């Protein structure tokens, strides 16, 4: 049984004051939730959010990391620094990192391994472009990303891995994949994970991301290989993120 995991990716939104206000409003709304909850604020708000989340079940995450432990990498942040702040998860390979900052599968794999080495669970993002989908290559592209982005990931650490399938055409566009379409890709991701991890793939949680909202979360989560969501826009307001967390409440 895979415990659902709902992760907020705030991208470049919310400073320290807004983050504190969010935590104050959000935490009372999600006490006792059955899903695991993760919030990835900008780097500058990690320390204050860590304090606000202390004593709650909500996990802190970063949106990116450098793969090296330290050194001459101006402007970068290492897994050790994230660990020190209390990050339990870190997103790597988000499509915005891949398309806007040129990250390759190889870069993503190095980051995932560096995080794992420091005891931080990576949330590894994959997803096809609109052109890939329209040319019928979505499943092939995503399977290749899974293999490349997880190269060298130890099979005995499969349960520390979270994969997020995010079709690029659905991110921030209001266009959600239908539950059936998402399930088709999630099943292909599970197959690629089985190729890499054997039976351990059954325990890996695969999130869907791309315009997840309170009104579509339950139907997506009803699919057999969808184990959670990575949420951008709808995670910025406490009420809408809490409603997604409570997708199983029947409300
Ligand atoms: C994301 O940024 O990972 C994302 C899925 O964004 P949105 O929910 O806004 O589509």
């Amino acid at each position: 049984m895979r415990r659902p995991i709902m992760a907020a990716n705030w991208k470049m939104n919310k400073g320290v004051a807004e983050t504190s206000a969010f935590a104050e409003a959000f935490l009372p709304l999600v006490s006792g939730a059955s899903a695991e909850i993760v919030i990835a604020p900008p780097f500058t708000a990690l320390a204050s959010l860590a304090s606000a989340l202390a004593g709650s079940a909500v996990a802190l995450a970063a949106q990116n990391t450098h793969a090296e432990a330290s050194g001459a990498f101006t402007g970068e942040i290492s897994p050790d620094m994230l660990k020190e702040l209390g990050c339990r998860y870190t997103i790597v390979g988000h499509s915005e990192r891949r398309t806007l900052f040129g990250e390759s599968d190889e870069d993503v794999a190095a980051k995932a391994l560096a995080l794992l080495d420091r005891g931080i669970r990576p949330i590894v993002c994959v997803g096809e472009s609109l052109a890939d989908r329209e040319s019928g290559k979505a499943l092939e592209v995503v399977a290749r990303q899974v293999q490349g982005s997880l190269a060298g990931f130890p099979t005995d650490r499969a349960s520390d891995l979270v994969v997020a399938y995010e079709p690029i055409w659905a991110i921030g566009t209001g266009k959600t994949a239908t539950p059936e379409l998402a399930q088709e890709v999630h099943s292909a991701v599970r197959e690629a994970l089985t190729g890499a991890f054997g039976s351990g793939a059954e325990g890996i949680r695969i999130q869907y991301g791309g315009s997840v909202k309170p009104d579509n979360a339950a139907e997506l989560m009803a699919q057999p290989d969808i184990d959670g969501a990575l949420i951008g826009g709808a995670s910025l307001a406490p009420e809408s993120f809490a409603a997604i967390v409570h997708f199983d409440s029947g409300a």
Side-chain angles (χ1 to χ4, degrees), residues 19-24 27 45-56 58 60:
T19 297
S20 299
F22 180 98
E24 202 179 319
L27 290 176
L46 281 170
S48 64
L49 187 58
S51 307
L53 297 181
S56 83
V58 178
L60 185 70

Side-chain angles (χ1 to χ4, degrees), residues 93-136:
H94 189 279
S95 65
E96 287 151 17
R97 298 294 321 168
R98 291 176 183 266
T99 58
L100 302 175
F101 300 96
E103 288 188 13
S104 64
D105 287 341
E106 205 178 11
D107 297 327
V108 177
K111 291 179 179 200
L113 287 180
L115 289 166
L116 197 65
D117 192 49
R118 308 315 303 152
I120 299 175
R121 294 173 159 180
I123 298 177
V124 176
C125 302
V126 296
E128 83 282 5
S129 66
L130 186 60
D132 294 330
R133 174 143 295 274
E134 286 177 346
S135 58

Side-chain angles (χ1 to χ4, degrees), residues 69-89:
S70 62
F73 302 101
T74 301
E76 293 292 321
I77 305 283
S78 75
D80 276 320
M81 296 168 185
L82 300 177
K83 183 79 186 172
E84 191 181 14
L85 289 176
C87 287
R88 282 193 262 156
Y89 290 88

Side-chain angles (χ1 to χ4, degrees), residues 21 38-39 47 75 104 128 136 139 144 188 201 207 210 213 220 231:
V38 178
I39 302 178
S104 64
E128 83 282 5
L139 298 183
R144 202 177 333 118
Q207 297 174 310
K213 307 268 183 271
L220 287 160
I231 306 125

Side-chain angles (χ1 to χ4, degrees), residues 9 11 94 96 166 170-173 209-213 230-234:
N9 172 18
K11 311 190 185 191
H94 189 279
E96 287 151 17
E166 301 202 301
I171 296 178
T173 59
S211 299
V212 174
K213 307 268 183 271
L230 184 55
I231 306 125

